[in-house]
Amino acid sequence: MKPYRCVFRMGIEKSLEYRADFFLSLFSAVFPIIIQTFLWNYLYGNEDAAALFGYTYNEILIYTLLAGLVSKLVQTGLEYQVNEDIKLGGLNKYLVSPVSYGRYQLFSFLGEKAPQLVIMGAVAAGMIAFSVAVLGLELSPMRVLIFIVSLVLALLLNFFIFYSVALLSFWLTDVNLMFGTVSIVLVVVSGGVFPLDIFGEKLELLVNLLPFGYTTQFSVNIINGRFGWTQIGSGFLCQLFWIGFFGILARCMWKRGLKRFTAVGG
Amino acid sequence: MDIIKVEHLCKEFSYYKKETGLQGSLKNLFHREILTKEAVRNVSFAVEKGEIVGLLGPNGAGKTTTLKMLSGILFPTSGNAVIDGFIPWERKNEFKRRFSIVMGQKNQLWWDLPASDSFYLNKCIYDIDDAAYRKTVEELSELLDVRELMNVQVRRLSLGERMKMEILAALIHRPQILFLDELTIGLDIISQQKIRDFLQYYNEQTKTTVILTSHYMRDIEALCRRAVIISHGQLVYDGELSKINHLMGDKKLLTLKGIGEIPAEKLAAFGRVREKKGAETVLEVPKDKLRETASAILSTLHVEDFTVTEVPLEESIALIFKKEVDSL
Amino acid sequence: MGSFFEDKKGDMSKYGAGRTFLSNVAAAAKRYLHLLHVFARFSLMSQLEYRANFVAGVAVETGWMLIKLLYVAVIYRAGINIGVLTPDHIMLFIGLYVLMTGFYMLYYGNFTSLSTMVREGQLDMYLVKPMSTQFLVTLRRLDFSLLLPDFVVGAVMVGIGWRRAGLPSDFGTVAGFLFLFMCSCLLTYSLFLIPHLLCFWIVSTRGITDMTAALWDFNNMPQMIYGRWMQRIGTFILPIFVITNFPGLFLMGELSDGMMIWAVAAPILAFVIARLVWKRALRSYTSASS
């Protein structure tokens, strides 16, 4: 474990080094929330939207706030680094050293996240307090605890999803632009912008079957009290299943990709 | 006529000091110490039209920085340079049409397209008319021996072939001045030789002024009569390449092979022993005493084989660098 | 080989003083347009070298677009009007947003790769070319795999919205619309280049990319859903609303004369500012980098 502790620390250093970056990125999380809030204002102000969407005005605002936050919390960014390593041959230096590349990325990712989590945690506490005081969110300590557990799993799941996406770099060139769009798309299908069950039961079912909802929507539904205990239980099982799934997928991709990488000669 | 005139050129870079470790990062969060590095210090020289000048120096001496200032990529901190009537860092288009820079580490060719496409792009950028463009490409591809490769994607070319294409691309607009930075880096000996031959021929034919930097002494020896040597940002030598040895005290090397091993103290009487491996010894002898020393050795020692060589240029230059460091 | 220097001077005289200012401008414009054409051709050729990539690009962009269509679905589901806008108008506005995104994405890759170019010094090779470095660097690579889906779907949405809302389609309206659309293209380029230029001063630009992407999304919905103050800010201070709302408003006859002038002035102003920032950025590059 020792080398990975080192990697973890390096991750922390990196995120401190690029702090302007972090604050800009945090700041930009505010925009979708603003846009969404205005949209809801409009939709709820004019029609009987509550019945249509199945969320009251306050509920949907709480959702928007928390989802914006959660999707920022689980956001990765390692795909750019992995792509660069594969394309420019930086991978070689990991191949000859006794650390596993996947684990290296994981710990570096967690390290980079750590200082952000401190700040985001404070922001989250503020937002949740705001939701409780102004928007009438009901909160129990138990739910907060389970929410935190689900967040940790969501973070892992999102890591494995994006690590798999990143490994596509073995087969595709020039993927940097695509990554940006992929992450925008995934944020939305994870329910990071608005709850996907507003589109009716069919879409809700689809979301429950797909892995993406478990990176964002699931955690939000725990803290906002929308999910009952059985749903939470099955949700955790799904989350674990998908973590395993993407873990194995990434492993397979890594093996095949590496064969290709060494065949081409980097 | 001096086509390039450089006077008291200086360049400083500022950068942040970063202490290692997490503690350093945290400290950096609140306070950053700004340091300056003098990359080029008070460099002056002039180059005549049609000359090939070698810019020498160890890594980080300021060679590339100097070239970048001369091509207008970098702004100097102080000092002047005039190239063919232009100040490079004003970056006038008219000036840009008169020179070209090729850097071994940077490419301008489109990776996924044949090199000929990149040539065409340069034709458009430099606004060359069709006839002149065709003629240039034809003649140069012949000389560089890349005719058959014109329609091969750049990514499929070997390093040497790619470098030839880079040179061709840089010559599309027939610059009067050519800056070459570490062109032959990583190339095999044959490619190096070919590029060298080409540059020599091209310079003779077109009287293009060339400044080049290289790690390989051979490039410099083959192409340049004159060398400008920079060490730690300062100019330490400017003159004929052949006179560098003279500057370093005019010594010759005597390599002798004795019949059986000759004791070192016996040899030391004739000159400084630089190297001794079994029966073979290399002695350093002042040039003006060469004759007498040689005959003395032959008459007193049992020598089987005996050769006289120049001190390798690399060594003299290394000595110049070292002297520079010592005097700091 | 001896011919190398002989016709040198002839080629220089083309840029001499013999020509009038206007014909010089025309010649330069022609040269730049021609080069843009060459860039487009080369980019497309390069892209088609990697077919899997091209297909993946189209697929991902299509996914993005489907998500934008979700918004249209929400609006139609709720069946609401936003101010004077019926759902059909909203379809037109969102279509304009999708269409404009396609054009933005066409050269967007150059903005994001700017930071790598600065860091690795690839900019050097463009600085020594006798043309606008900004032009060469920001329009060099054009991505058609991203343009394609956005362009097709955006155009269809605009067409459907236009027809269903019963908006006029006489020559004057169409010409005015196209003109405003082109103004918007210039505004997009200038406005979104500026934040990316920060990469000349800071190393990691992930935050900038996130930020501009989030800002761009404001046009996902017609400006009328935002509060009065935000509309003012988004029109005059950070004129992102001008980009997709103004051409739509013009079609509806809702654009006042004053706003019409602003629709033309804003892009010019933004372009001038972008130029100034670019020059600043370049100066910092040339005086600091190693």
Side-chain angles (χ1 to χ4, degrees):
Chain A
M1 271 328 262
K2 188 128 189 277
Y4 298 112
R5 221 168 60 206
C6 211
V7 172
F8 182 79
R9 281 171 68 109
M10 272 158 61
I12 297 179
E13 279 171 36
K14 200 169 150 198
S15 89
L16 291 178
E17 183 84 24
Y18 300 140
R19 57 195 186 278
D21 208 40
F22 165 65
F23 283 111
L24 270 178
S25 162
L26 186 66
F27 187 52
S28 60
V30 178
F31 294 136
I33 295 176
I34 294 176
I35 297 172
Q36 232 27 61
T37 307
F38 275 108
L39 181 63
W40 299 132
N41 276 346
Y42 222 98
L43 291 174
Y44 279 80
N46 292 281
E47 304 289 321
D48 190 14
L52 190 67
F53 296 134
Y55 281 78
T56 67
Y57 177 67
N58 279 357
E59 277 172 353
I60 203 104
L61 281 195
I62 291 173
Y63 185 94
T64 307
L65 266 181
L66 295 178
L69 193 76
V70 170
S71 67
K72 206 76 218 169
L73 261 174
V74 297
Q75 187 187 39
T76 59
L78 72 144
E79 58 271 22
Y80 299 97
Q81 183 60 47
V82 173
N83 174 48
E84 204 178 300
D85 284 344
I86 292 174
K87 285 287 123 67
L88 302 180
L91 204 54
N92 289 319
K93 78 170 179 262
Y94 299 98
L95 295 182
V96 296
S97 77
V99 295
S100 128
Y101 184 69
R103 241 176 271 170
Y104 178 93
Q105 286 297 338
L106 176 63
F107 281 92
S108 164
F109 166 68
L110 293 177
E112 270 178 68
K113 270 279 127 113
Q116 303 183 7
L117 284 179
V118 175
I119 294 167
M120 297 285 280
V123 177
M127 278 197 183
I128 290 173
F130 174 79
S131 303
V132 171
V134 181
L135 302 173
L137 174 71
E138 281 172 30
L139 213 58
S140 70
M142 192 61 189
R143 285 222 175 236
V144 175
L145 200 70
I146 296 176
F147 171 69
I148 291 171
V149 174
S150 77
L151 267 185
V152 173
L153 291 177
L155 199 69
L156 279 178
L157 176 57
N158 213 37
F159 168 80
F160 281 116
I161 291 176
F162 274 90
Y163 185 52
S164 304
V165 171
L167 290 179
L168 281 176
S169 309
F170 277 122
W171 294 273
L172 299 176
T173 52
D174 241 10
V175 278
N176 267 351
L177 265 193
M178 229 174 71
F179 284 155
T181 315
V182 167
S183 74
I184 293 176
V185 171
L186 288 191
V187 164
V188 177
V189 297
S190 307
V193 182
F194 43 75
L196 294 165
D197 46 0
I198 60 170
F199 294 104
E201 276 173 20
K202 268 188 207 145
L203 212 78
E204 193 187 352
L205 190 71
L206 188 69
V207 170
N208 287 340
L209 287 176
L210 287 175
F212 309 112
Y214 298 98
T215 62
T216 311
Q217 186 157 349
F218 175 60
S219 299
V220 178
N221 278 335
I222 291 175
I223 190 106
N224 69 8
R226 209 171 169 79
F227 270 10
W229 297 110
T230 37
Q231 274 171 304
I232 291 177
S234 66
F236 270 120
L237 284 181
C238 290
Q239 229 178 2
L240 287 170
F241 166 77
W242 285 118
I243 290 174
F245 176 86
F246 278 100
I248 293 167
L249 179 70
R251 223 186 151 70
C252 294
M253 286 178 74
W254 169 257
K255 271 190 185 154
R256 297 199 118 202
L258 203 59
K259 232 178 244 165
R260 196 184 145 91
F261 180 77
T262 43
V264 178
Chain B
M1 186 191 91
D2 291 337
I3 193 165
I4 298 174
K5 205 166 169 58
V6 179
E7 282 168 332
H8 312 296
L9 208 56
C10 294
K11 178 73 192 170
E12 287 174 4
F13 293 121
S14 54
Y15 61 101
Y16 294 117
K17 190 176 164 188
K18 156 98 170 68
E19 284 165 48
T20 52
L22 192 52
Q23 226 167 4
S25 293
L26 282 170
K27 237 165 135 185
N28 240 353
L29 204 52
F30 304 104
H31 175 74
R32 289 186 172 181
E33 197 181 337
I34 300 169
L35 300 174
T36 40
K37 183 193 164 202
E38 292 177 273
V40 173
R41 290 187 285 179
N42 201 17
V43 166
S44 307
F45 61 91
V47 180
E48 264 177 51
K49 194 167 159 52
E51 237 185 321
I52 302 191
V53 175
L55 200 56
L56 305 179
N59 279 334
K63 292 169 297 185
T64 305
T65 308
T66 307
L67 274 196
K68 279 188 178 179
M69 284 191 278
L70 294 186
S71 35
I73 295 169
L74 284 182
F75 233 83
T77 309
S78 63
N80 290 315
V82 178
I83 298 183
D84 204 10
F86 293 93
I87 294 167
W89 41 89
E90 286 178 355
R91 288 209 296 277
K92 293 224 168 80
N93 282 344
E94 200 121 329
F95 167 65
K96 291 177 183 174
R97 289 173 184 283
R98 289 175 195 220
F99 83 98
S100 225
I101 181 164
V102 187
M103 293 188 256
Q105 315 281 42
K106 285 168 195 165
N107 47 321
Q108 60 163 319
L109 303 174
W110 283 50
W111 190 244
D112 296 311
L113 299 180
S116 55
D117 283 336
S118 295
F119 302 157
Y120 180 72
L121 195 65
N122 270 3
K123 166 203 179 316
C124 298
I125 289 174
Y126 287 96
D127 205 11
I128 314 291
D129 63 71
D130 291 340
Y133 163 70
R134 252 195 309 269
K135 201 162 107 200
T136 308
V137 172
E138 220 159 274
E139 287 174 348
L140 293 183
S141 60
E142 187 70 51
L143 275 173
L144 281 162
D145 196 18
V146 288
R147 258 221 155 128
E148 289 76 50
L149 302 172
M150 296 298 273
N151 293 315
V152 179
Q153 285 124 322
V154 172
R155 67 164 192 273
R156 295 188 205 282
L157 297 176
S158 74
L159 198 60
E161 290 163 348
R162 216 180 295 152
M163 189 40 75
K164 286 180 183 173
M165 294 298 191
E166 288 283 352
I167 294 172
L168 211 168
L171 296 176
I172 294 286
H173 62 289
R174 302 177 186 183
Q176 302 176 32
I177 301 149
L178 197 53
F179 299 131
L180 307 170
D181 188 31
E182 299 290 354
L183 268 203
T184 49
I185 207 158
L187 298 188
D188 58 82
I189 309 240
I190 296 168
S191 303
Q192 282 180 31
Q193 180 69 46
K194 279 197 171 151
I195 287 177
R196 228 177 278 148
D197 291 347
F198 168 79
L199 289 174
Q200 190 156 30
Y201 184 74
Y202 186 81
N203 166 262
E204 274 166 17
Q205 293 299 316
T206 62
K207 301 287 171 274
T208 304
T209 312
V210 181
I211 297 187
L212 77 118
T213 74
S214 180
H215 262 74
Y216 298 109
M217 239 5 256
R218 294 207 149 216
D219 288 348
I220 308 275
E221 278 176 305
L223 290 170
C224 316
R225 279 188 52 219
R226 180 175 152 210
V228 171
I229 301 178
I230 298 181
S231 177
H232 295 269
Q234 273 177 317
L235 191 136
V236 290
Y237 179 82
D238 178 2
E240 273 179 50
L241 207 51
S242 54
K243 286 196 180 144
I244 289 182
N245 278 339
H246 174 68
L247 189 78
M248 290 323 293
D250 261 341
K251 297 203 169 108
K252 291 250 178 189
L253 297 183
L254 278 179
T255 309
L256 41 112
K257 196 170 173 191
I259 304 164
E261 206 174 318
I262 305 164
E265 56 282 2
K266 246 184 178 175
L267 287 164
F270 299 102
R272 201 171 72 83
V273 180
R274 284 170 67 116
E275 216 183 309
K276 190 167 183 314
K277 231 191 260 159
E280 216 174 89
T281 312
V282 180
L283 277 178
E284 199 181 278
V285 181
K287 206 179 190 172
D288 47 358
K289 288 197 179 143
L290 183 67
R291 196 180 270 274
E292 21 183 320
T293 316
S295 57
I297 288 173
L298 286 173
S299 57
T300 53
L301 300 173
H302 297 287
V303 178
E304 185 186 82
D305 193 15
F306 181 94
T307 47
V308 180
T309 48
E310 295 280 340
V311 176
L313 201 50
E314 274 108 327
E315 246 171 68
S316 302
I317 288 171
L319 266 173
I320 294 182
F321 296 154
K322 206 170 156 293
K323 234 171 111 183
E324 188 53 37
V325 178
D326 293 343
S327 70
L328 277 180
Chain C
M1 194 69 198
S3 59
F4 258 111
F5 252 60
E6 282 152 21
D7 40 17
K8 185 90 210 164
K9 290 286 174 259
D11 147 0
M12 299 311 287
S13 66
K14 267 162 66 179
Y15 303 91
R19 293 174 145 218
T20 65
F21 173 73
L22 224 62
S23 69
N24 268 336
V25 170
K30 203 178 137 203
R31 199 160 134 241
Y32 277 82
L33 276 177
H34 176 60
L35 207 63
L36 202 58
H37 175 227
V38 175
F39 281 149
R41 211 162 44 115
F42 284 10
S43 300
L44 193 59
M45 274 156 53
S46 298
Q47 270 199 302
L48 291 177
E49 283 283 307
Y50 304 98
R51 253 169 299 169
N53 248 60
F54 195 81
V55 172
V58 171
V60 169
E61 196 64 16
T62 307
W64 176 84
M65 216 169 44
L66 286 177
I67 279 165
K68 297 300 145 184
L69 290 179
L70 271 185
Y71 281 88
V72 182
V74 174
I75 302 286
Y76 270 87
R77 226 172 119 79
I80 58 149
N81 289 358
I82 298 179
V84 291
L85 306 182
T86 64
D88 293 327
H89 289 125
I90 298 170
M91 164 90 101
L92 171 76
F93 276 68
I94 298 181
L96 275 169
Y97 165 72
V98 170
L99 197 58
M100 194 54 84
T101 307
F103 281 106
Y104 178 30
M105 285 300 127
L106 190 62
Y107 52 81
Y108 178 67
N110 296 307
F111 288 7
T112 51
S113 61
L114 206 54
S115 73
T116 325
M117 288 185 69
V118 170
R119 208 165 359 127
E120 286 166 11
Q122 284 294 347
L123 206 61
D124 294 355
M125 294 321 288
Y126 299 95
L127 275 169
V128 298
K129 296 274 186 277
M131 279 191 107
S132 155
T133 309
Q134 184 185 339
F135 174 83
L136 293 175
V137 168
T138 58
L139 296 173
R140 181 178 38 114
R141 291 273 178 177
L142 303 173
D143 196 321
F144 290 93
S145 69
L146 302 179
L147 172 70
L148 191 69
D150 290 345
F151 184 79
V152 172
V153 176
V156 168
M157 285 170 75
V158 169
I160 292 175
W162 194 326
R163 263 188 75 110
R164 284 184 50 149
L167 297 169
S169 54
D170 56 288
F171 175 76
T173 315
V174 174
F177 172 78
L178 287 178
F179 175 69
L180 283 186
F181 191 82
M182 274 157 59
C183 288
S184 296
C185 284
L186 178 63
L187 181 57
T188 307
Y189 169 85
S190 314
L191 206 56
F192 285 86
L193 176 59
I194 297 169
H196 281 103
L197 291 178
L198 279 177
C199 72
F200 279 86
W201 292 278
I202 60 178
V203 184
S204 175
T205 51
R206 185 77 201 289
I208 297 173
T209 314
D210 282 358
M211 177 99 156
T212 54
L215 276 174
W216 180 251
D217 263 352
F218 270 95
N219 277 327
N220 199 353
M221 282 287 132
Q223 66 179 64
M224 295 78 176
I225 71 159
Y226 305 108
R228 184 162 285 279
W229 270 103
M230 264 186 76
Q231 287 194 45
R232 280 184 193 146
I233 292 171
T235 306
F236 297 109
I237 297 176
L238 197 68
I240 37 178
F241 290 149
V242 175
I243 295 170
T244 62
N245 287 284
F246 276 34
L249 287 172
F250 171 77
L251 276 187
M252 296 170 64
E254 295 273 329
L255 205 61
S256 68
D257 288 349
M259 284 301 153
M260 194 65 195
I261 293 170
W262 181 238
V264 181
I268 297 173
L269 200 65
F271 185 72
V272 169
I273 295 173
R275 275 303 285 166
L276 291 176
V277 179
W278 171 269
K279 283 191 177 151
R280 255 319 281 258
L282 221 52
R283 189 149 8 117
S284 109
Y285 178 81
T286 54
S287 56
S289 77
S290 60

